Short mmCIF file of all heavy atoms in Angstrom, two decimals:
data_model
loop_
_atom_site.label_atom_id
_atom_site.label_comp_id
_atom_site.label_asym_id
_atom_site.label_seq_id
_atom_site.Cartn_x
_atom_site.Cartn_y
_atom_site.Cartn_z
N LEU P 369 -13.31 16.95 2.74
CA LEU P 369 -13.51 17.75 3.95
C LEU P 369 -14.49 18.87 3.63
O LEU P 369 -14.38 19.51 2.59
CB LEU P 369 -12.17 18.34 4.39
CG LEU P 369 -12.22 19.41 5.45
CD1 LEU P 369 -12.58 18.81 6.79
CD2 LEU P 369 -10.88 20.11 5.54
N CYS P 383 -7.28 23.73 13.84
CA CYS P 383 -7.39 22.85 12.68
C CYS P 383 -6.20 23.09 11.74
O CYS P 383 -5.58 22.14 11.26
CB CYS P 383 -8.71 23.07 11.96
SG CYS P 383 -9.07 24.78 11.58
N LYS P 386 -2.95 21.67 13.22
CA LYS P 386 -2.89 20.22 13.27
C LYS P 386 -2.75 19.62 11.86
O LYS P 386 -2.27 18.50 11.71
CB LYS P 386 -4.17 19.72 13.96
CG LYS P 386 -4.21 18.25 14.22
CD LYS P 386 -3.39 17.88 15.45
CE LYS P 386 -3.34 16.36 15.56
NZ LYS P 386 -2.50 15.89 16.64
N CYS P 387 -3.15 20.37 10.86
CA CYS P 387 -3.16 19.84 9.49
C CYS P 387 -1.74 19.51 9.02
O CYS P 387 -0.87 20.37 9.01
CB CYS P 387 -3.79 20.86 8.56
SG CYS P 387 -3.64 20.39 6.84
N PRO P 388 -1.50 18.25 8.63
CA PRO P 388 -0.13 17.88 8.24
C PRO P 388 0.34 18.55 6.95
O PRO P 388 1.53 18.64 6.71
CB PRO P 388 -0.20 16.36 8.07
CG PRO P 388 -1.62 16.03 7.92
CD PRO P 388 -2.40 17.09 8.61
N THR P 389 -0.60 19.01 6.12
CA THR P 389 -0.17 19.60 4.85
C THR P 389 -0.36 21.12 4.82
O THR P 389 -0.16 21.75 3.78
CB THR P 389 -0.95 19.00 3.66
OG1 THR P 389 -2.33 19.28 3.87
CG2 THR P 389 -0.75 17.51 3.56
N ARG P 390 -0.77 21.67 5.95
CA ARG P 390 -1.02 23.13 6.05
C ARG P 390 -2.00 23.59 4.96
O ARG P 390 -1.74 24.55 4.25
CB ARG P 390 0.29 23.93 5.92
CG ARG P 390 1.41 23.44 6.79
CD ARG P 390 1.30 23.90 8.22
NE ARG P 390 2.31 23.25 9.03
CZ ARG P 390 2.12 22.13 9.74
NH1 ARG P 390 0.96 21.52 9.73
NH2 ARG P 390 3.08 21.62 10.48
N ALA P 391 -3.08 22.85 4.83
CA ALA P 391 -4.05 23.17 3.79
C ALA P 391 -5.07 24.20 4.27
O ALA P 391 -5.79 24.79 3.48
CB ALA P 391 -4.78 21.91 3.36
N ILE P 392 -5.10 24.42 5.59
CA ILE P 392 -6.11 25.34 6.13
C ILE P 392 -5.45 26.63 6.59
O ILE P 392 -4.40 26.59 7.23
CB ILE P 392 -6.84 24.70 7.34
CG1 ILE P 392 -7.53 23.40 6.90
CG2 ILE P 392 -7.84 25.65 7.95
CD1 ILE P 392 -8.20 22.66 8.03
N TRP P 401 -12.13 31.42 7.01
CA TRP P 401 -11.55 30.08 7.11
C TRP P 401 -11.33 29.61 5.68
O TRP P 401 -12.27 29.56 4.89
CB TRP P 401 -12.52 29.17 7.84
CG TRP P 401 -12.03 27.78 8.07
CD1 TRP P 401 -11.39 27.34 9.18
CD2 TRP P 401 -12.17 26.65 7.20
NE1 TRP P 401 -11.11 25.99 9.05
CE2 TRP P 401 -11.58 25.55 7.84
CE3 TRP P 401 -12.73 26.46 5.94
CZ2 TRP P 401 -11.52 24.28 7.27
CZ3 TRP P 401 -12.68 25.20 5.37
CH2 TRP P 401 -12.07 24.11 6.03
N LEU P 403 -9.59 26.93 2.74
CA LEU P 403 -9.08 25.58 2.50
C LEU P 403 -8.52 25.49 1.08
O LEU P 403 -9.16 25.90 0.12
CB LEU P 403 -10.22 24.55 2.65
CG LEU P 403 -9.88 23.13 2.22
CD1 LEU P 403 -8.86 22.52 3.16
CD2 LEU P 403 -11.12 22.26 2.18
N ASP P 404 -7.28 24.99 1.01
CA ASP P 404 -6.70 24.72 -0.30
C ASP P 404 -6.92 23.23 -0.55
O ASP P 404 -6.19 22.38 -0.05
CB ASP P 404 -5.19 25.04 -0.27
CG ASP P 404 -4.56 24.85 -1.64
OD1 ASP P 404 -5.21 24.25 -2.51
OD2 ASP P 404 -3.41 25.31 -1.82
N LYS P 407 -4.27 20.74 -1.58
CA LYS P 407 -3.24 20.36 -0.61
C LYS P 407 -3.78 19.33 0.37
O LYS P 407 -3.02 18.55 0.94
CB LYS P 407 -2.81 21.59 0.18
CG LYS P 407 -1.66 22.35 -0.41
CD LYS P 407 -1.16 23.30 0.64
CE LYS P 407 -0.12 24.25 0.12
NZ LYS P 407 0.13 25.31 1.10
N CYS P 408 -5.09 19.35 0.58
CA CYS P 408 -5.70 18.50 1.60
C CYS P 408 -5.56 17.02 1.22
O CYS P 408 -5.84 16.63 0.10
CB CYS P 408 -7.17 18.87 1.74
SG CYS P 408 -8.10 17.75 2.77
N ILE P 409 -5.09 16.22 2.18
CA ILE P 409 -4.94 14.79 1.90
C ILE P 409 -6.06 13.99 2.56
O ILE P 409 -5.97 12.77 2.71
CB ILE P 409 -3.57 14.26 2.36
CG1 ILE P 409 -3.34 14.58 3.84
CG2 ILE P 409 -2.44 14.83 1.52
CD1 ILE P 409 -2.18 13.83 4.45
N VAL P 410 -7.10 14.69 2.98
CA VAL P 410 -8.30 14.06 3.57
C VAL P 410 -7.97 13.10 4.71
O VAL P 410 -8.47 11.99 4.76
CB VAL P 410 -9.14 13.31 2.50
CG1 VAL P 410 -10.59 13.71 2.63
CG2 VAL P 410 -8.68 13.57 1.11
N CYS P 411 -7.09 13.55 5.60
CA CYS P 411 -6.72 12.67 6.70
C CYS P 411 -7.74 12.73 7.82
O CYS P 411 -7.93 11.78 8.56
CB CYS P 411 -5.35 13.04 7.23
SG CYS P 411 -5.29 14.70 7.92
N GLY P 412 -8.41 13.87 7.95
CA GLY P 412 -9.43 13.98 8.98
C GLY P 412 -8.92 14.48 10.33
O GLY P 412 -9.68 14.54 11.28
N GLU P 413 -7.65 14.84 10.41
CA GLU P 413 -7.11 15.34 11.69
C GLU P 413 -7.87 16.58 12.15
O GLU P 413 -8.17 16.72 13.33
CB GLU P 413 -5.62 15.69 11.53
CG GLU P 413 -4.72 14.53 11.26
CD GLU P 413 -4.14 13.92 12.53
OE1 GLU P 413 -4.57 14.32 13.62
OE2 GLU P 413 -3.28 13.03 12.40
N CYS P 414 -8.14 17.48 11.21
CA CYS P 414 -8.81 18.74 11.57
C CYS P 414 -10.21 18.49 12.11
O CYS P 414 -10.66 19.13 13.05
CB CYS P 414 -8.85 19.67 10.37
SG CYS P 414 -9.56 18.91 8.92
N VAL P 415 -10.91 17.51 11.50
CA VAL P 415 -12.27 17.20 11.93
C VAL P 415 -12.23 16.69 13.37
O VAL P 415 -13.07 17.05 14.20
CB VAL P 415 -12.89 16.13 11.00
CG1 VAL P 415 -14.31 15.81 11.43
CG2 VAL P 415 -12.85 16.60 9.56
N LEU P 423 -16.29 21.17 11.40
CA LEU P 423 -15.85 20.50 10.18
C LEU P 423 -16.42 19.09 10.11
O LEU P 423 -16.73 18.48 11.13
CB LEU P 423 -14.31 20.43 10.16
CG LEU P 423 -13.61 21.76 10.32
CD1 LEU P 423 -12.12 21.56 10.53
CD2 LEU P 423 -13.85 22.62 9.10
N MET P 425 -16.38 15.25 7.59
CA MET P 425 -15.81 14.48 6.50
C MET P 425 -16.95 13.82 5.75
O MET P 425 -17.78 13.15 6.36
CB MET P 425 -14.87 13.44 7.11
CG MET P 425 -13.93 12.79 6.14
SD MET P 425 -12.97 13.95 5.19
CE MET P 425 -11.59 14.23 6.27
S1 SF4 C 633 -8.38 16.64 6.29
FE1 SF4 C 633 -6.23 16.56 6.95
S2 SF4 C 633 -5.11 17.42 5.22
FE2 SF4 C 633 -7.24 17.99 4.94
S3 SF4 C 633 -7.40 19.98 5.85
FE3 SF4 C 633 -7.97 18.51 7.43
S4 SF4 C 633 -6.10 18.09 8.54
FE4 SF4 C 633 -5.51 19.10 6.61
#
Side-chain angles (χ1 to χ4, degrees):
Chain P
L369 168 71
C383 51
K386 186 79 186 176
C387 172
T389 60
R390 312 280 173 266
I392 300 176
W401 183 93
L403 171 68
D404 184 347
K407 270 194 187 168
C408 171
I409 55 166
V410 229
C411 62
E413 294 268 8
C414 53
V415 181
L423 306 170
M425 195 53 87

